[in-house]
Amino acid sequence: MAAKLRVAIVGSTGYGGVELIRFLLKHPLVEITSVISSSSAGLPIADGFPHLSEIVVEQLDAVDIPLIRSKADLVFAAAPSGVSAALVTQLLEAGLKVIDLSGDFRLKSGALYEQWYKHKAADDALLAQAVYGLADVFGKDCAGVDFISNPGCYSTAAVLGLIPALSAGWIDPKTIIIDAKSGVSGAGRGLGLNVHYAEMNENLLAYKVNKHQHIPEIEQVLSRVAGQEVVTTFTTHLVPMTRGILCTMYASLTESRTEADLIELYRQYYEGRSFVRIRPYGKLPATKEVWGSNYCDIGFSTDPRTGRVTIISVIDNLVKGAAGQAIQNLNLMMGWDEATGLDMAPVYP
């Protein structure tokens, strides 16, 4: 049997990092050789995550590039945006393969990144090198590369729901509206008033209205698919649940289409992509139905009265929106079956 791929995880005590550990422990072709979290230096990972108390993985207290290189062939970089750019540069220079889960390499324009993320952008050469790993659409781009930028959670849910109709010319790109709602785990594990129980419980709030950093990412992908500039209205909301994203998207149809037409279009577009599931006629997806899994479920409703279509897509923000898609990209990068280590049913209820 061939030796397993040695991987390290930097940023292992965030929610995305912990999900990476959970999935990779069951990946038959991978061995986690080390986890690194400077924010939890000196503390066993089980101190922060007791559910991992039986997990034996070497912990490093700081990012020591030569030491990581001696223990790993590939690094999942789950550091925050603004930190990851410098880290990834060093990892690549050391000859490591990298899958980056931050937003530092998703945008191809450094100026656009600095405008939306308020951090200094990575070098243009690295931005150009980074392969945007929307696995179910651009999966072929990921084969055999050394550096993949994992898409954002909102972006994944939104663009997977829009791309087939946009690509086919069935919707007017000037009319796209995206109403997105996420559980609080999307805000990370840091403390903040907006995720305080008394503030969030029995509450629903819109945030970063017209300012969310995933707006340019969504528009970059949709423009690439449409072959023209696409500008969207994108509004994010925080809802009092732990996991899940639901995007309700609206667009004007370019000609009369039925739900059956859209179902057939989407099933053909995603044929062979086992992690995108298209709902049958009259059935719309809910976040609970993808909980803990790498699936994106999509459903439709057309309105002859308005000539518009409503597209609903759901994902688990920590899996399909982060760790799961990162592992799917790992599989594509290495030439493995993309479902390896990910083919598990959602947790329900």
Side-chain angles (χ1 to χ4, degrees), residues 156-165 249 266 270 296 298 300 311-313:
T156 296
V159 300
L160 288 179
L162 289 166
I163 281 175
M249 295 165 282
Y266 276 62
Y270 289 120
C296 174
I298 304 173
F300 316 91
I311 304 169
I312 297 176
S313 66

Side-chain angles (χ1 to χ4, degrees), residues 80-102:
S81 294
V83 173
S84 202
L87 169 65
V88 167
T89 300
Q90 296 174 63
L91 294 170
L92 290 169
E93 288 174 350
L96 288 153
K97 296 178 183 294
V98 177
I99 296 176
D100 183 61
L101 281 78
S102 80

Side-chain angles (χ1 to χ4, degrees), residues 12-287:
S12 57
T13 52
Y15 289 137
V18 169
E19 280 293 81
L20 277 169
I21 293 172
R22 180 170 75 92
F23 278 92
L24 289 172
L25 285 169
K26 298 299 182 182
H27 196 297
L29 304 175
V30 166
E31 177 188 4
I32 305 174
T33 55
S34 56
V35 295
I36 304 99
S37 175
S38 57
S39 64
S40 300
L43 298 174
I45 195 167
D47 277 17
F49 296 97
H51 71 291
L52 297 178
S53 60
E54 299 300 316
I55 304 305
V56 180
V57 177
E58 183 177 13
Q59 293 175 239
L60 306 178
D61 292 340
V63 178
D64 183 327
I65 302 295
L67 183 58
I68 294 172
R69 182 66 187 92
S70 71
K71 297 177 179 294
D73 308 300
L74 179 144
V75 176
F76 289 97
S81 294
V83 173
S84 202
L87 169 65
V88 167
T89 300
Q90 296 174 63
L91 294 170
L92 290 169
E93 288 174 350
L96 288 153
K97 296 178 183 294
V98 177
I99 296 176
D100 183 61
L101 281 78
S102 80
D104 283 356
F105 297 93
R106 293 172 187 158
L107 301 180
K108 293 304 181 183
S109 165
L112 198 61
Y113 171 86
E114 292 177 359
Q115 175 188 341
W116 287 87
Y117 280 82
K118 311 304 181 187
H119 300 300
K120 179 176 172 54
D123 289 343
D124 288 345
L126 277 182
L127 294 178
Q129 179 185 348
V131 173
Y132 185 73
L134 186 66
D136 301 290
V137 178
F138 307 129
K140 291 181 179 178
D141 296 347
C142 300
V145 303
D146 293 330
F147 179 26
I148 291 176
S149 176
N150 215 53
C153 52
Y154 277 125
S155 309
T156 296
V159 300
L160 288 179
L162 289 166
I163 281 175
L166 184 64
S167 179
W170 286 18
I171 57 175
D172 182 348
K174 296 182 178 64
T175 65
I176 296 172
I177 298 172
I178 305 166
D179 179 310
K181 298 177 176 64
S182 175
V184 294
S185 62
R189 210 178 188 215
L191 301 178
L193 188 61
N194 64 326
V195 293
H196 189 289
Y197 179 80
E199 301 284 339
M200 192 62 248
N201 185 46
E202 300 185 56
N203 195 15
L204 173 62
L205 62 92
Y207 70 102
K208 292 186 179 179
V209 178
N210 296 322
K211 298 177 181 178
H212 199 284
Q213 67 272 18
H214 288 180
I215 291 173
E217 181 183 349
I218 290 169
E219 294 178 350
Q220 176 180 269
V221 176
L222 296 182
S223 298
R224 173 179 173 181
V225 169
Q228 61 178 292
E229 183 180 10
V230 176
V231 178
T232 65
T233 296
F234 174 71
T235 305
T236 52
H237 305 79
L238 202 58
V239 298
M241 64 183 187
T242 302
R243 291 173 180 253
I245 285 177
L246 185 147
C247 285
T248 305
M249 295 165 282
Y250 311 93
S252 294
L253 292 161
T254 54
E255 58 183 89
S256 179
R257 303 286 181 182
T258 66
E259 283 96 336
D261 294 331
L262 285 154
I263 290 168
E264 180 61 23
L265 173 70
Y266 276 62
R267 285 181 173 168
Q268 287 184 12
Y269 190 92
Y270 289 120
E271 184 177 4
R273 314 306 302 198
S274 59
F275 289 117
V276 180
R277 305 188 300 189
I278 309 304
R279 288 301 172 87
Y281 179 81
K283 302 291 185 181
L284 297 175
T287 58

